[in-house]
Structure formats: C-alpha cells, structure tokens
Amino acid sequence: MKLGTFELPNRLFVAPMAGVTDRPFRMLCRRLGAGYTVSEMVTSQRALWSSLKTSRRADHAGEPGPIAVQIAGVDPAEMADAARYNIDRGAQIIDINMGCPAKKVCNTWAGSALMSNEALAGRILDAVVAACAPRGVPVTLKMRSGRCDGERNALALARLAEQAGVAMVAVHGRTREQGFKGLAEYDTVAAVKAGLSIPVVVSGDIDSPAKARAVLAFTRADALMIGRAAQGRPWIFREVAHFLATGRELAAPTVAEAASWIGAHLHDHYALYGELGGVRSARKHIGWALRELPGGEAFRARMNLIDDCAAQLTAVNEWFERLGQAHDRLPRIAAPAANDEQIELSA
Ligand SMILES: Cc1cc2nc3c(=O)[nH]c(=O)nc-3n(C[C@H](O)[C@H](O)[C@H](O)COP(=O)(O)O)c2cc1C
C-alpha cells in the first residue's frame, strides 16, 4: 500500500491512542509486525507546544519512517500552523483527528464533535492540505462513523476529505455518542470504502487474526488498525500478519520472547519518561501484559508499590522467569474465534 511516496510494508496499522502509543510503544509494535503507526494527538494550540507532554509527543528520534503525526483542533489556521510545526520537527504525514470523543477535545468542537459541523471540517481539511501539499506531505483523516446513531455521516465527510486532497481515511465504526460502548459496526466503513477511491482503513474491535481477516473481507478496506488489543499484546501484529499470509494461527510467543520484548520496551520507556514518570507510566503497560496470565493480577498489585525503575524491571524479569518454569509459551487465556463464520460483523 502506498501513501504519497511512502510504500508501507503491510496493511496492519497501530491505532493512535493518546497516553499509550508513545514512541517506545510504536517502535515495539513496528518490531513485532505493524507496518504503520501514528503518533499520539498533538493539540493545535500553540501555547501548549512547548509543554513537556507535547514536546515528548513530537520527539521521533530513532523511529522508522514514515513519521505520521496526528493533530487536533478547531481553527483552520491554527491547524495549518500545527501541521507546519510538526513537519519542521520531522512529521512526514499529517493525520487530522476527527475521531476522539474525549471531553477535553470535544468541548471545543475538536475530535469527533467536528463531524457534526461539515462546513468547518471542510475548512480545516482545506487549510491543512494547503499547508502540507507544498512540502510534499500527505494528509490523512481519522474519524468515527458519525455523531450518533441517526447521523452516520462518515461517507459525506470522507468524500469532502477526498475532494480536499486527503490521501487516506481511517474510520472507527462507532459513533461519538457511543464512546467505547457497544460493538463497532462495519457497514459504515464498507460504505466509505465503496464510495471512495483513496485508501480506507478500518478500526474498531479487531482483536484476533480471524476477526482481522473477516473485517478486511467484509469492508474491503485497504488496511486495518488495532488499538486496545495491542495493549500488552503487541505481538498481535505478527500473529495477524501470519494468519493473513498463511491462513494458519501462529503459535503464542515463548515466555522468553515475551519477557525480552517487554524488557526492551521498558528500557525505552524509562529513557523517554525518566525515573519517576517512567516507573509510574510503565505500570499500565506491565499490567496489560500480565492481566490475562496466571498470577498476573496478584503480581500487578505488588508491582504497583514499586517506585524505582530498576526494581520494577527486576521484578518483571523475575516474574517471567517463574512463569517460564511452568510454561514454554505464553498460555492462551481467551481462545480466539475459530473461524470467520462465527464473527458477527453487520448490524
Ligand atoms: C486510550 C485510547 C486513546 C485513544 N486516543 C486516540 C487519539 O488520540 N486519536 C484517535 O484518532 N483515536 C484515538 N483512540 C481511538 C483508537 O485509535 C481506535 O480507533 C479505537 O480504540 C477503536 O479501535 P480498537 O477497538 O482496536 O481499540 C483512542 C483509543 C483509546 C482506547
């Protein structure tokens, strides 16, 4: 799949998740089979660009390209400025967020609330494309299926985006009103794909290789995004890649492999966030990795009391060593759906 001049290695994308898909996590997913990642959302408000949080988000040191940065905001000129600012700091693709239902973003009409205001959304798309085109930087758009059940206007917006010169559209098959409740539906994504000639990416509830294959077949999307299912299980990307290529399930990683990936991730994580911030924010990643493993919950409670990076890493390594004495491979907790027919995709 091509995005501007960039040839993507496959069609398995990491869904952008604020507070999760930082550079260490993105690089981990890339190493484990994801073909494309998008940075966490950067606000278009100039006053916040010098904050530690935003400057960390705009730091792409050592990351394999193309570097895609997501921006969010409501003012077309500010959004164009934010695009230029991020291009100057290494962004090679600019992604506009019209998909986030978070209050912080929606109160000011940004994120998925923009979907209700197609005129403003159109002006933002035009302004950002005009800022990026002279620099040869493709613009992409991430959105939801619509504002609410009776207003699934993703296709109309996607058409606006295509006319504005947007290079790719990603659709999460839930409405803004749904937040993360209920199930994602894929009819809207299929309609967007059928109505557009630019690549379309499907997002929402893809949590197993079989589901990935079924959703791609149903929507005919060019690529898929995996978000929550990659939390603590970044190797899902290589599992999906293997399944799509061969039709067979890849064996679960060995305990030693998982321990070495998680250890490397923690090293990168501590290096980005420092001692105090690092030990705290690493807890969620460790918790996700262990939550479905035997004894993981009990360990999590103990691990949350550790306030030192080296001690946290040692505790995790020791925990995996003990797990390795009982299991060669990570024990599978939830059995994945056996075949595509069992997966309900249409509303
Ligand atoms: C913690 C979290 C943060 C998210 N942050 C963003 C974001 O900053 N920008 C965005 O476009 N989508 C964001 N999303 C939405 C995801 O990209 C994705 O579309 C959604 O989670 C559905 O996919 P999943 O079921 O694979 O998680 C976020 C989702 C989660 C769970």
Side-chain angles (χ1 to χ4, degrees), residues 14-21 39-41 57 70 95-101 142-144 171-174 180 184 203-207 225-231 288:
V14 184
M17 290 181 285
V20 180
T21 50
S39 79
E40 299 164 278
M41 181 166 70
R57 286 185 176 189
Q70 187 177 73
D95 185 47
I96 300 176
N97 179 353
M98 291 190 194
C100 181
K142 169 109 187 312
M143 61 174 151
R144 287 190 166 228
V171 186
H172 172 194
R174 281 189 179 83
F180 287 91
S203 166
D205 296 353
I206 299 170
D207 57 1
M225 278 181 173
I226 299 179
R228 288 165 297 170
Q231 294 173 349
W288 287 325

Side-chain angles (χ1 to χ4, degrees), residues 293-313:
L293 294 173
E297 274 304 320
F299 172 73
R300 185 152 73 148
R302 287 202 311 280
M303 185 264 307
N304 281 346
L305 302 173
I306 301 174
D307 255 331
D308 165 291
C309 292
Q312 187 182 56
L313 183 59

Side-chain angles (χ1 to χ4, degrees), residues 135-154:
R135 318 278 290 268
V137 170
V139 176
T140 60
L141 172 66
K142 169 109 187 312
M143 61 174 151
R144 287 190 166 228
S145 56
R147 187 180 66 82
C148 59
D149 207 16
E151 202 183 299
R152 290 184 196 263
N153 62 337

Side-chain angles (χ1 to χ4, degrees), residues 16-91:
M17 290 181 285
V20 180
T21 50
D22 53 14
R23 176 165 48 88
F25 186 78
R26 295 195 298 273
M27 288 174 71
L28 176 72
C29 293
R30 290 289 289 261
R31 280 203 296 277
L32 293 174
Y36 183 70
T37 63
V38 184
S39 79
E40 299 164 278
M41 181 166 70
V42 172
T43 171
S44 68
Q45 290 170 40
R46 184 177 278 274
L48 299 178
W49 290 347
S50 56
S51 75
L52 181 59
K53 185 167 159 187
T54 300
S55 55
R56 266 199 199 116
R57 286 185 176 189
D59 170 0
H60 309 288
E63 196 171 357
I67 306 289
V69 173
Q70 187 177 73
I71 58 174
V74 283
D75 181 86
E78 270 185 22
M79 287 287 276
D81 264 356
R84 281 186 286 263
Y85 172 86
N86 281 289
I87 294 169
D88 289 342
R89 273 150 197 80

Side-chain angles (χ1 to χ4, degrees), residues 47-299:
L48 299 178
W49 290 347
S50 56
S51 75
L52 181 59
K53 185 167 159 187
T54 300
S55 55
R56 266 199 199 116
R57 286 185 176 189
D59 170 0
H60 309 288
E63 196 171 357
I67 306 289
V69 173
Q70 187 177 73
I71 58 174
V74 283
D75 181 86
E78 270 185 22
M79 287 287 276
D81 264 356
R84 281 186 286 263
Y85 172 86
N86 281 289
I87 294 169
D88 289 342
R89 273 150 197 80
Q92 296 165 306
I93 292 168
I94 293 292
D95 185 47
I96 300 176
N97 179 353
M98 291 190 194
C100 181
K103 270 231 164 71
K104 217 165 38 171
V105 178
C106 287
N107 272 351
T108 55
W109 277 96
S112 52
L114 264 180
M115 292 193 69
S116 300
N117 188 340
E118 286 180 21
L120 178 57
R123 288 202 299 281
I124 289 174
L125 293 166
D126 288 340
V128 174
V129 171
C132 295
R135 318 278 290 268
V137 170
V139 176
T140 60
L141 172 66
K142 169 109 187 312
M143 61 174 151
R144 287 190 166 228
S145 56
R147 187 180 66 82
C148 59
D149 207 16
E151 202 183 299
R152 290 184 196 263
N153 62 337
L155 177 57
L157 253 178
R159 284 203 170 115
L160 263 183
E162 183 171 42
Q163 281 155 19
V166 163
M168 180 179 82
V169 169
V171 186
H172 172 194
R174 281 189 179 83
T175 62
R176 176 196 164 202
E177 203 173 73
Q178 269 182 291
F180 287 91
K181 293 198 193 81
L183 298 175
E185 53 85 16
Y186 305 103
D187 300 87
T188 306
V189 189
V192 171
K193 170 61 194 166
L196 258 58
S197 39
I198 55 174
V200 172
V201 185
V202 57
S203 166
D205 296 353
I206 299 170
D207 57 1
S208 71
K211 180 104 182 235
R213 183 169 73 179
V215 169
L216 281 176
F218 182 83
T219 59
R220 303 189 167 277
D222 301 276
L224 60 82
M225 278 181 173
I226 299 179
R228 288 165 297 170
Q231 294 173 349
R233 197 181 148 203
W235 44 87
I236 190 172
F237 292 101
R238 66 175 209 161
E239 294 177 346
V240 172
H242 182 82
F243 188 73
L244 292 181
T246 66
R248 286 191 300 276
E249 300 247 345
L250 187 66
T254 64
V255 173
E257 279 174 329
S260 93
W261 295 329
I262 290 167
H265 179 210
L266 289 176
H267 272 294
D268 284 356
H269 189 91
Y270 301 147
L272 182 65
Y273 294 100
E275 177 70 32
L276 190 59
V279 75
R280 291 195 181 151
S281 53
R283 285 178 191 151
K284 63 175 181 276
H285 291 283
I286 300 169
W288 287 325
L290 271 51
R291 67 185 153 188
E292 292 180 339
L293 294 173
E297 274 304 320
F299 172 73

